[in-house]
Amino acid sequence: MKFLVVGAGEMGRWFGGAIAAHAAETDAGDETDVAFADTDTEVARAAADAVGGRAVSLSTDERFDAVCIAVPMSAAESAIERHAPTAQRALVDVTGRMADPVAAMREAAPHRERVSLHPLFAASNAPGNVAVVIDESGPVTDRISEALAAAGNRLVETTPGEHDSAMETVQAGTHAAVLAFAAAAEDVPDGLTTPIFEDLSAVAEQVTGNSPSVYAEIQATFDGADRVAEAAACIADADDEEFERLYREASDAIRDASATTEKENR
């Protein structure tokens, strides 16, 4: 089976690597071909070398069983439209947004298998939860799911609307809160920290250690940062009584969210 990954960045390599590794562990190893295409040919070659695949041109007229779109969110729809004809059986995306890519895949490939995937982690932290929207299933996308599950990932089925709404909190709001803390923090003398400060500093270090363009795309795509700013302003301006009310509301919200997550994980 032939796979083409359009976009040889972090998520493209993650996807191609999972497909190649699963093939190597099964009797499909000699029959699986993973190719990468990217605007930077050297990046495509490096990704191909890493998984034992090959690099092809973005303008290739070769046909593949499955094409995975692994480009930035802002380029997803145009990439889907451009590369859909290359996919003979299945079209997949790992761009991070779901509503618009799913609609674009449905329009560009109405008679093919279609799945949207969102790994909810950096590739260096894999495996983890992978959000999945199955728009049209079949043997090719089933094999992709098997490969991701075999790598230790937990596949979480969702809908485009549910996913994109959740990302307002999970990504846009969370990143805004962490970056705001990092931007506002001042130097603290050694020994005058608390466990909470140290934990949040570690999270901030993790967030700020990546490409800023990825986080900029998330903020441009999803709402959520504005609610964090409004909440911070309310806390900063609150008197004692108002602060206690906000504190209780936050406690209740976190408790409810934790209970829901625990129930879903059972």
Side-chain angles (χ1 to χ4, degrees):
M1 192 174 291
K2 295 169 61 178
F3 294 84
L4 172 64
V5 183
V6 179
E10 181 180 5
M11 285 297 103
R13 292 188 185 207
W14 168 82
F15 178 87
I19 296 298
H22 185 250
E25 294 171 358
T26 66
D27 57 7
D30 295 335
E31 303 172 358
T32 300
D33 173 29
V34 179
F36 289 87
D38 195 277
T39 54
D40 187 328
T41 56
E42 291 302 318
V43 170
R45 290 193 189 99
D49 290 344
V51 305
R54 60 192 174 96
V56 299
S57 168
L58 276 174
S59 58
T60 181
D61 58 3
E62 186 177 352
R63 296 295 181 262
F64 296 83
D65 293 288
V67 173
C68 175
I69 305 299
V71 301
M73 287 183 284
S74 58
E77 291 152 83
S78 60
I80 287 168
E81 181 180 1
R82 176 180 178 183
H83 296 284
T86 308
Q88 292 184 310
R89 300 173 63 185
L91 188 59
V92 179
D93 91 283
V94 290
T95 60
R97 179 177 52 171
M98 289 189 161
D100 290 342
V102 166
M105 287 192 291
R106 189 177 298 165
E107 181 176 353
H111 305 299
R112 277 154 279 179
E113 300 170 42
R114 300 178 303 277
V115 170
S116 185
L117 303 165
H118 183 193
L120 299 171
F121 48 81
S124 59
N125 294 328
N129 288 349
V130 179
V132 181
V133 168
I134 302 173
D135 198 47
E136 187 65 44
S137 64
V140 178
T141 52
D142 286 349
R143 179 169 168 178
I144 291 171
S145 295
E146 289 173 6
L148 299 182
N153 298 291
R154 175 176 175 247
L155 306 186
V156 182
E157 288 196 31
T158 183
T159 66
E162 182 181 56
H163 168 271
D164 289 358
S165 177
M167 291 308 105
E168 294 183 3
T169 294
V170 172
Q171 288 193 313
T174 300
H175 298 165
V178 172
L179 290 171
F181 161 78
E186 297 181 349
D187 289 340
V188 176
D190 185 40
L192 296 184
T193 62
T194 66
I196 292 176
F197 172 86
E198 291 169 0
D199 288 346
L200 191 50
S201 295
V203 172
E205 184 175 348
Q206 181 179 355
V207 170
T208 55
N210 297 302
S211 170
S213 61
V214 173
Y215 293 90
E217 279 239 327
I218 289 171
Q219 294 301 328
T221 302
F222 301 114
D223 295 330
D226 54 343
R227 294 196 293 275
V228 172
E230 291 170 4
C234 288
I235 291 171
D237 295 339
D239 58 21
D240 290 350
E241 183 177 350
E242 177 66 6
F243 181 89
E244 290 183 10
R245 184 186 68 79
L246 293 170
Y247 186 95
R248 285 193 295 270
E249 287 182 357
S251 298
D252 291 342
I254 289 296
R255 188 180 303 110
D256 292 344
S258 297
T260 299
T261 300
E262 183 178 352
K263 182 178 179 181
E264 292 175 348
N265 288 337
R266 288 175 182 170

